[in-house]
Amino acid sequence: MDSFNKPPAQGIQSHKKQLSIEQLQGKSLQAPQLEAKQLMAAKMLSLAPLYKLPVTLFRYVFLAMDRVLGLTKIEMDKVVNLTVPVSAGTPLMGTIPLNEHSPSGTSNSSDSTIKLRIYHPSAKTPQKTLVYFHGGGCVIGSINTHDRFCRYLAKHGKMNIISVGYRLAPEHKFPIPICDAIEAWNYINANHQQLNINPQHIGVGGDSAGGYLACIIGLHSLQTSLPVQAKVTPAFQFLIYPMVDLQGLTESYRRFNKQLILTRDLMDYFRLKYLNSLDEVTLPLVSPLQAADISESPKSYILTLGFDPLRDDGIAYAQRLKAAGINTQHQHFDDCMHGFISITKLSARAKQATHNIAMALNRFND
């Protein structure tokens, strides 16, 4: 544990208590009940508890859920697939063609490569680019589970999207997903000309665990103990219900443990798979909410949800960004649950909320 950032002093660990969720002025944290169609989907998906699934099966279930219940595939002007080598502390070199049709975005990768998928939504290349890290607790998820969502963001957000297939736990535990994210970020910036993107306007983003990886890229002071560091500061960060504290101490973490896609038990499952030891939960590289200073962060969008174990941590992080003087837009959907982007065929509200996310990304074009 000592080889990475040490836990903060006791005074720093009280940030969440100082920044009470009641400070979310003028907004309801939670609707009287979860939107009906989302609740129906959650009940259906809870018939076999997800946290009891073997990891390999869980990854295929996640992909199947997105294909059956998620967004319809949108055609892009161009989609480019690359495989790039990774070695912690070594710059990424070269590219290798990727078979786009592999069943998962991770199972065919060797231990020394990761995948990138680049979405160009129109023939007129957008000025800005979002480097996107998928969710899944750093355990499940892939480029393919988030392919349709990234296409949706590219079209309606009017940006190039570069989706990163970082390596997953338990095969690749902390801090390997972070190192992969940083190496991918450095590669994209170093090869912007070949990738046909503007180097002045590249941001980072992601949902859940992907939001966690995205926020680490902008916090250079946390990276000093890693074998690789980000060489460029993101122009912006786009955090969709991010996983920013794995301590699990909040009221929302304790409360939301049934009839949801993401529950406390499932978060505990992810923690045990991702971390080498639960002693690591207080490390700022694991729980960036516990970082002493997040004022390095770029201008930010952060989404929180009423029915989400990660809700209170996300709200506290948004408040800390604002308190640090970061230009921050905090959006809160009080009637939605974590993972709603994967059930848009079942819920009109989930589809509308997904569109609202894309419109928030589009505002970064201004």
Side-chain angles (χ1 to χ4, degrees):
M1 185 174 78
D2 292 338
S3 61
F4 302 107
N5 291 70
K6 294 181 180 179
Q10 185 64 38
I12 299 300
Q13 293 189 36
S14 64
H15 278 304
K16 266 182 297 188
K17 296 177 183 178
Q18 295 171 14
L19 295 169
S20 166
I21 60 175
E22 280 73 27
Q23 293 175 352
L24 188 63
Q25 297 177 355
K27 296 183 180 180
S28 170
L29 289 181
Q30 184 182 326
Q33 61 183 13
L34 177 63
E35 185 267 328
K37 293 296 179 63
Q38 292 180 64
L39 178 59
M40 179 185 73
K43 287 181 176 179
M44 178 178 66
L45 293 167
S46 300
L47 292 176
L50 295 173
Y51 67 90
K52 293 185 178 181
L53 293 177
V55 169
T56 302
L57 177 59
F58 199 166
R59 290 172 182 166
Y60 277 93
V61 168
F62 191 18
L63 178 61
M65 179 177 73
D66 181 75
R67 289 293 183 269
V68 174
L69 304 178
L71 294 162
T72 300
K73 184 175 180 178
I74 297 173
E75 292 302 320
M76 298 281 99
D77 179 66
K78 184 167 67 171
V79 176
V80 178
N81 292 283
L82 303 174
T83 295
V84 294
V86 287
S87 177
T90 302
L92 294 169
M93 302 291 290
T95 59
I96 307 166
L98 164 68
N99 177 8
E100 178 180 6
H101 304 292
S102 59
S104 82
T106 58
S107 61
N108 289 349
S109 294
S110 73
D111 284 352
S112 57
T113 63
I114 61 173
K115 300 175 182 180
L116 305 182
R117 183 170 294 167
I118 307 167
Y119 303 88
H120 296 286
S122 67
K124 182 181 178 181
T125 304
Q127 281 294 303
K128 297 192 177 183
T129 297
L130 176 69
V131 177
Y132 194 86
F133 303 100
H134 64 77
C138 293
V139 175
I140 62 172
S142 69
I143 285 177
N144 289 334
T145 61
H146 285 62
D147 175 74
R148 299 184 182 196
F149 182 59
C150 286
R151 289 169 183 266
Y152 194 93
L153 287 179
K155 177 180 179 180
H156 297 287
K158 300 188 187 308
M159 281 194 194
N160 303 305
I161 305 291
I162 303 181
S163 183
V164 178
Y166 57 92
R167 291 173 291 179
L168 299 176
E171 299 93 331
H172 305 284
K173 288 178 173 285
F174 169 78
I176 292 175
I178 299 174
C179 294
D180 284 358
I182 293 172
E183 286 206 80
W185 171 252
N186 288 342
Y187 173 86
I188 290 163
N189 280 274
N191 293 276
H192 61 86
Q193 188 171 6
Q194 298 92 313
L195 299 177
N196 196 27
I197 59 175
N198 186 336
Q200 303 303 316
H201 300 290
I202 308 176
V204 290
D207 62 289
S208 195
Y212 152 69
L213 296 176
C215 77
I216 293 289
I217 297 223
L219 297 174
H220 299 280
S221 61
L222 299 189
Q223 301 169 19
T224 56
S225 59
L226 294 172
V228 61
Q229 292 84 41
K231 297 179 180 178
V232 180
T233 299
F236 61 92
Q237 64 180 6
F238 195 75
L239 312 179
I240 302 171
Y241 38 80
M243 180 182 82
V244 291
D245 195 331
L246 282 182
Q247 293 185 94
L249 301 177
T250 63
E251 188 272 339
S252 64
Y253 193 99
R254 292 189 296 269
R255 177 178 182 180
F256 294 122
N257 199 39
K258 62 180 181 178
Q259 295 186 345
L260 293 170
I261 291 178
L262 183 69
T263 62
R264 181 184 70 230
D265 284 339
L266 186 50
M267 279 303 304
D268 289 345
Y269 172 98
F270 290 146
R271 288 197 306 180
L272 290 170
K273 303 294 184 186
Y274 175 51
L275 301 178
N276 304 285
S277 163
L278 286 180
D279 291 339
E280 293 172 334
V281 293
T282 57
L283 297 174
L285 274 174
V286 170
S287 300
L289 180 58
Q290 299 306 314
D293 183 5
I294 62 171
S295 62
E296 306 167 281
S297 302
K299 63 181 178 180
S300 304
Y301 167 85
I302 183 167
L303 174 67
T304 55
L305 307 175
F307 294 83
D308 183 0
L310 308 185
R311 180 192 69 192
D312 296 353
D313 290 326
I315 291 171
Y317 201 77
Q319 292 171 332
R320 284 201 64 197
L321 287 169
K322 292 179 180 180
I326 307 301
N327 181 355
T328 303
Q329 180 194 356
H330 175 201
Q331 195 165 33
H332 183 76
F333 300 158
D334 67 346
D335 62 343
C336 289
M337 68 176 173
H338 194 108
F340 67 81
I341 61 176
S342 295
I343 58 164
T344 54
K345 282 191 177 73
L346 289 181
S347 167
R349 172 61 180 135
K351 188 171 183 179
Q352 176 194 43
T354 300
H355 190 71
N356 290 345
I357 292 173
M359 292 301 97
L361 179 62
N362 194 3
R363 285 192 285 275
F364 279 98
N365 289 310
D366 297 337

